[in-house]
């Protein structure tokens, strides 16, 4: 038997990312789980942010942001960047994060993140409590240690974080690959 609840945000797990914005000289980061891919051609991603967040204004003004994937090693920084405001805290200094120049935009990458997704804002969609920043992906920066000898990404080596209903989780074991249920033996 199931209970029927009022509408809620229970689509979990989600990626836990650090969204960096601002500049390399004056960087800011915030934690977001309401993020993802929305198109593959052209490559588009989004992040939903409350208008009262400090990062909202920075991204709205610059038109740029970076989605930095998080890892078990970044768990503390991921949480701190979600509960502290960049208005009165230098989160990069607090969390010992290193801002790096991006390849295509002015917003900084987070060096400690294994994968950085550089986005240029295409559209801001006000939705109510949050606005969705739709970004065209201009570049993806990948830590070379995650590439095998053929240059293929082995993202499972990154020990990525996921967020589920107020809790952070390390991603677990692989149980299959895309199409494994129909692949010929």
């Amino acid at each position: 038997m199931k209970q029927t609840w009022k509408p809620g945000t229970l689509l979990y797990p989600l990626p836990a990312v650090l969204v960096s914005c601002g500049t390399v000289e004056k960087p800011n980061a915030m934690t977001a789980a309401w993020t993802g891919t929305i198109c593959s051609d052209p490559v588009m991603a989004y992040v939903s942010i409350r208008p009262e967040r400090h990062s909202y204004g920075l991204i709205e003004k610059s038109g740029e942001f970076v989605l930095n994937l998080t890892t078990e090693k970044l768990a503390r920084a991921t949480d701190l960047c979600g509960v502290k405001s960049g208005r009165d805290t230098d989160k990069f200094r607090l969390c010992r994060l290193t801002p790096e120049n991006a390849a295509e935009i002015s917003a900084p990458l987070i060096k400690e993140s294994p994968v950085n997704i550089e986005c240029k804002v295409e559209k801001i969609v006000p939705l109510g409590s949050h606005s969705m920043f739709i970004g065209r992906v201009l570049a993806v920066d990948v830590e070379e240690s995650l590439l095998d000898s053929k240059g293929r990404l082995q993202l499972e080596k990154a020990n990525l974080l996921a967020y589920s209903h107020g809790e952070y989780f390390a991603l677990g074991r692989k149980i299959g690959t895309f199409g494994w249920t129909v692949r010929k033996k």
Side-chain angles (χ1 to χ4, degrees):
M1 177 174 269
K2 292 185 180 177
Q3 294 181 5
T4 300
W5 293 357
K6 66 180 182 170
T9 56
L10 288 177
L11 183 60
Y12 291 111
L14 298 165
V17 301
L18 286 168
V19 180
S20 54
C21 54
T23 63
V24 172
E25 298 77 27
K26 192 162 173 52
N28 189 58
M30 65 164 275
T31 303
W34 293 7
T35 186
T37 301
I38 53 176
C39 189
S40 58
D41 187 17
V43 182
M44 306 281 275
Y46 81 94
V47 62
S48 291
I49 305 172
R50 290 181 178 270
E52 59 269 15
R53 296 289 298 261
H54 181 59
S55 296
Y56 186 102
L58 295 174
I59 296 170
E60 183 179 45
K61 182 178 177 181
S62 71
E64 300 175 339
F65 62 93
V66 180
L67 301 174
N68 300 275
L69 300 190
T70 58
T71 64
E72 286 184 56
K73 287 181 180 179
L74 287 170
R76 180 174 161 71
T78 302
D79 189 60
L80 276 169
C81 287
V83 297
K84 296 286 188 179
S85 173
R87 282 189 182 91
D88 43 43
T89 303
D90 180 341
K91 294 190 227 178
F92 272 74
R93 180 176 293 137
L94 175 68
C95 299
R96 296 185 176 114
L97 299 173
T98 310
E100 279 192 321
N101 287 315
E104 298 293 329
I105 62 175
S106 297
L109 309 179
I110 295 175
K111 179 180 182 175
E112 293 76 12
S113 171
V115 177
N116 320 91
I117 303 167
E118 302 180 32
C119 299
K120 180 83 171 157
V121 175
E122 291 275 318
K123 187 175 188 179
I124 302 171
V125 183
L127 298 170
S129 65
H130 290 68
S131 291
M132 179 187 289
F133 287 79
I134 297 173
R136 181 181 297 259
V137 175
L138 299 183
V140 178
D141 306 275
V142 178
E143 178 61 47
E144 288 182 359
S145 66
L146 297 178
L147 304 177
D148 68 12
S149 61
K150 295 179 181 174
R152 194 174 49 223
L153 180 61
Q154 297 177 307
L155 200 52
E156 68 279 4
K157 289 183 173 182
N159 298 314
L160 296 176
L161 283 185
Y163 180 80
S164 184
H165 201 57
E167 299 177 315
Y168 300 100
F169 292 89
L171 293 180
R173 62 187 173 84
K174 179 171 73 172
I175 59 170
T177 59
F178 181 77
W180 66 276
T181 57
V182 295
R183 191 170 296 122
K184 292 184 178 168
K185 305 266 186 228

